[in-house]
Amino acid sequence: AFELFPAAPARLSWQVALRGQPVIDRSPIGIVVDGIDLSDGVELGEVESYRARRTYPWRGVHSEATDHFRGMRVSVRHVATGTPYRVDVRVYDDGIAFRYVVPGEGSRVPDEATAFVLPEGTTVWYHDLHGHYEGTHARKTLAEVRQNDWAAPPLTIKLPNGGGYASITEGALLRYPGMALQADGSRTFRARLGHAHPASYPFTLRYGEDGATRLAKPAAIEGPITTPWRVVMIGPDLDTLVNCDIVHNVSPEPDRRLFPKGLRTEWVKPGRAVWKYLDGGGENSLALMKEFSRLAALMGFEYNVVEGFWRRWSESELRELIDYSRQQNVGIWLWQHTRELRDPAARDAFFAHVQRVGAVGVKLDFLDHEAKEVVDLYHELLRGAAEHRLMVNFHGANKPTGESRTWPNEMTREAVSGMERSRMEAWSQHNTTIPFTRMLAGHLDFTPTVFGERRRETSWAHQIATAAVFTSPVLVYGGHPQSMLENPAVEMIKSIPSVWDETRVLPFSEIGEAAGFVRRHGRQWFVAILNGPTARSVDVPLSFLGRGAHQALLVRDEMENPAAVRVETATLGRSDTLKVELRAGGGFIARLS
């Protein structure tokens, strides 16, 4: 239930409950324009009700999204200035969304007056903005949250007394600065726009303090102001959060001129990729990249992502790699620094060149800020890539806010502390947290499955299972393809898809402790489990299977050796239960056909 009300002295506020229990306690709601808080001293006017009940194709945790809500458009007038505006609210079975629409002309500077007051006894998971969106989520009680702490959305919440879960983020971020959250030390997180965010280390490293100072100025909006949707996903369990569609539901549909079949436009193709960066041996040569494409073909993978060293090659050398790879049925992606793509002419020339030589996608790096001009750049990059029929993977990126619905050529983005991070000390806790925090916003390029020392305390089985838990329609593997071909579980690795028809979160899952997913692709089911720092045993009933016998391939922890796996086969049915022993930092994955 969502309630919106002005209370004496007529300040606009809101609250949300699930089954009668508070999710967001009564909190300020509103927008500031040119320094005037339009939510302070208001009158409510007409309320227009509307609703929708529709589905549409999706790629991510499932292949069909559900957009079913009851909405209201509430007319509001700021008494002191006479300014009219609208609060647009949508209530779903699994959460709520709201935004502000302020009519008018000319140039005006918006800011935010929205807050989220959490119930006493709530537990939260968040990381700060030092690494932009590449942080490690900390678990805190509200009493442990310090005043002025920054939180990069999604901010995930476990409600007290078994009341369920929620997560705060935003959707449809267009022509507007991005939102982060800041704590006030009294159960409240306030929405703060991009100009107010502390510049991250990655940003100042690449653009300097002068660049950070320039982006700290609030951005003006021309004409009517339409904010992004502020989203609260809500559910009784983690399964509800993971399957929530609100972030992309509120985002605009794709332009049919660029994407005539929407998500199913022919040149937009999910797949798996090899990548020489984390785990590659040898120099960055044309010959080695051809070898990576050959190994990708042996794995049955569709792509090879080539880092920036390709720019040292001649066009004929680049075409040689692309032509050779195409003969292997492997498409090439090319990396580029976005600093070189700020100018529209340079941007178009780059995309035209990439298309002309025959590459299929671009990996665009180093944005690292949520100021409006950077948000605008994301959309210009996606538009320019789409005009040249190129797929996109963003790195050094902001959280996703539904861009891949509007631009189906966005196949994945980083915005996560993934396997690139060399100094992570507790992968198992991190990996069992992000499916219920960062991944709620959308796809993530974690670059999973590394078998060397970088995996730290996690087992080989854990590493393989991450590829089936972390959603990425272009699934870029961090491990050297030769290491995967030589792994005893190579048949399993080859068979893990990059898109899913259905996802269910197993009930033993706990944030930071264990993440158990059942996922279906076509007629195959996968059970993938990531274990946190404590060894455990779990039972997985196979009641989700159809009738009849299923051939099962099982990859288990070798309990005495994390750098080994036990590969088993079995015939199982829906009345059976998988019994799984997990070492600390361990994992498990099963394929049932």
Side-chain angles (χ1 to χ4, degrees):
F2 180 102
E3 293 182 83
L4 177 71
F5 34 22
R11 182 179 183 90
L12 206 58
S13 58
W14 69 298
Q15 65 186 30
V16 177
L18 173 67
R19 299 173 178 173
Q21 298 299 310
V23 175
I24 304 294
D25 281 340
R26 192 155 174 169
S27 305
I29 185 173
I31 185 171
V32 175
V33 176
D34 289 337
I36 298 170
D37 185 347
L38 298 184
S39 60
D40 189 8
V42 300
E43 294 176 344
L44 298 188
E46 292 184 0
V47 177
E48 176 194 351
S49 296
Y50 67 112
R51 62 178 60 201
R53 191 180 194 102
R54 57 198 171 208
T55 60
Y56 55 92
W58 189 237
R59 59 171 190 240
V61 297
H62 40 235
S63 57
E64 185 177 77
T66 301
D67 190 14
H68 176 202
F69 66 84
R70 296 176 63 185
M72 60 180 184
R73 299 183 180 99
V74 182
S75 296
V76 183
R77 188 176 76 91
H78 182 241
V79 175
T81 62
T83 304
Y85 64 102
R86 189 176 80 225
V87 181
D88 197 350
V89 180
R90 295 180 182 179
V91 178
Y92 298 79
D93 288 339
D94 53 2
I96 61 95
F98 59 87
R99 67 176 178 180
Y100 314 104
V101 180
V102 187
E105 299 176 345
S107 178
R108 292 172 295 171
V109 177
D111 211 333
E112 192 85 20
T114 300
F116 304 83
V117 180
L118 306 185
E120 292 277 8
T122 294
T123 304
V124 292
W125 285 264
Y126 63 90
H127 68 72
D128 64 20
L129 300 178
H130 174 74
H132 198 46
Y133 279 87
E134 298 174 32
T136 305
H137 293 81
R139 177 188 187 275
K140 295 185 179 184
T141 65
L142 280 184
E144 295 170 321
V145 175
R146 295 173 302 180
Q147 185 176 5
N148 297 323
D149 267 8
W150 285 92
L155 171 75
T156 296
I157 298 158
K158 186 174 184 178
L159 297 165
N161 306 315
Y165 296 86
S167 193
I168 301 167
T169 189
E170 64 180 329
L173 177 56
L174 299 156
R175 299 177 292 278
Y176 208 81
M179 178 190 79
L181 301 165
Q182 189 175 25
D184 73 357
S186 60
R187 299 195 289 125
T188 301
F189 284 87
R190 298 187 180 278
R192 303 293 305 278
L193 300 186
H195 65 267
H197 303 176
S200 68
Y201 171 75
F203 184 86
T204 55
L205 176 68
R206 295 177 181 105
Y207 302 99
E209 294 293 343
D210 289 346
T213 300
R214 185 175 61 79
L215 294 185
K217 181 181 179 181
I221 305 291
E222 295 292 331
I225 298 169
T226 301
T227 73
W229 294 83
R230 281 59 185 104
V231 172
V232 186
M233 304 174 233
I234 306 166
D237 49 37
L238 293 171
D239 180 71
T240 305
L241 288 194
V242 166
N243 280 285
C244 183
D245 290 313
I246 297 176
V247 170
H248 37 276
N249 282 347
V250 297
S251 298
E253 295 182 6
D255 183 339
R256 294 287 165 167
R257 292 171 297 177
L258 291 170
F259 303 98
K261 297 182 182 178
L263 204 69
R264 293 173 176 154
T265 298
E266 290 85 348
W267 54 270
V268 176
K269 297 178 180 177
R272 292 79 45 85
V274 298
W275 178 46
K276 186 211 176 290
Y277 183 76
L278 293 191
D279 200 22
E283 61 184 27
N284 298 325
S285 65
L286 172 61
L288 186 58
M289 285 301 92
K290 289 170 75 172
E291 175 65 3
F292 263 63
S293 289
R294 187 185 72 84
L295 295 172
L298 291 178
M299 289 295 298
F301 289 3
E302 293 82 2
Y303 301 119
N304 178 3
V305 178
V306 182
E307 288 296 304
F309 52 81
W310 70 270
R311 299 184 298 177
R312 300 196 294 266
W313 301 344
S314 67
E315 183 170 322
S316 64
E317 289 174 312
L318 181 57
R319 286 180 182 273
E320 182 181 340
L321 171 64
I322 291 168
D323 292 345
Y324 172 84
S325 302
R326 188 183 293 119
Q327 292 166 18
Q328 310 291 316
N329 295 315
V330 173
I332 294 294
W333 291 61
L334 299 174
W335 180 95
Q336 181 71 315
H337 197 312
T338 55
R339 179 165 47 199
E340 299 173 29
L341 303 176
R342 305 287 168 116
D343 175 71
R347 189 160 60 232
D348 187 66
F350 169 71
F351 290 138
H353 174 66
V354 173
Q355 183 184 32
R356 185 175 67 250
V357 297
V360 299
V362 287
K363 179 178 178 180
L364 306 178
D365 211 341
F366 303 142
L367 293 114
D368 295 312
H369 208 294
E370 288 190 294
K372 178 181 177 294
E373 76 169 54
V374 182
V375 171
D376 291 346
L377 180 60
Y378 276 93
H379 291 275
E380 291 307 314
L381 292 166
L382 286 163
R383 178 184 301 281
E387 288 169 347
H388 292 280
R389 298 165 67 95
L390 296 170
M391 295 177 282
V392 178
N393 173 3
F394 285 115
H395 266 232
N398 303 341
K399 65 185 177 298
T401 64
E403 291 85 356
S404 56
R405 185 178 187 202
T406 307
W407 304 101
N409 58 325
E410 181 181 310
M411 306 305 290
T412 192
R413 66 168 66 189
E414 188 183 27
V416 68
S417 189
M419 292 303 295
E420 278 193 47
R421 185 167 177 175
S422 60
R423 297 181 181 177
M424 176 70 78
E425 295 298 332
W427 279 118
S428 60
Q429 187 171 47
H430 180 62
N431 293 352
T432 52
T433 299
I434 56 177
F436 312 115
T437 51
R438 160 64 181 86
M439 202 170 91
L440 301 179
H443 51 217
L444 67 171
D445 190 20
F446 188 87
T447 61
T449 313
V450 175
F451 298 123
E453 292 184 3
R454 186 179 287 263
R455 64 180 168 77
R456 302 285 182 173
E457 85 285 11
T458 61
S459 70
W460 279 9
H462 180 109
Q463 286 293 316
I464 296 165
T466 57
V469 170
F470 299 148
T471 299
S472 185
V474 165
L475 180 57
V476 182
Y477 278 81
H480 194 294
Q482 191 66 48
S483 74
M484 293 187 279
L485 284 162
E486 294 171 355
N487 193 281
V490 60
E491 182 186 343
M492 177 66 77
I493 300 169
K494 286 181 175 181
S495 70
I496 297 170
S498 66
V499 291
W500 302 97
D501 293 314
E502 185 178 349
T503 297
R504 305 179 189 185
V505 178
L506 292 166
F508 62 76
S509 299
E510 287 286 348
I511 303 174
E513 298 177 23
F517 278 43
V518 174
R519 311 192 89 166
R520 182 179 62 82
H521 177 80
R523 298 181 65 184
Q524 285 192 327
W525 290 89
F526 289 77
V527 177
I529 302 172
L530 306 178
N531 193 32
T534 305
R536 73 188 68 234
S537 301
V538 297
D539 291 342
V540 182
L542 301 181
S543 53
F544 55 84
L545 293 175
R547 298 184 186 279
H550 290 70
Q551 298 305 307
L553 177 65
L554 314 172
V555 178
R556 300 181 183 270
D557 280 330
E558 183 62 68
M559 300 305 287
E560 303 304 318
N561 182 8
V565 289
R566 287 168 47 203
V567 180
E568 304 169 0
T569 58
T571 301
L572 299 170
R574 62 188 304 176
S575 62
D576 291 315
T577 296
L578 282 174
K579 296 189 176 297
V580 183
E581 295 288 328
L582 296 156
R583 56 176 291 125
F588 171 83
I589 183 167
R591 185 189 73 208
L592 299 120
S593 303

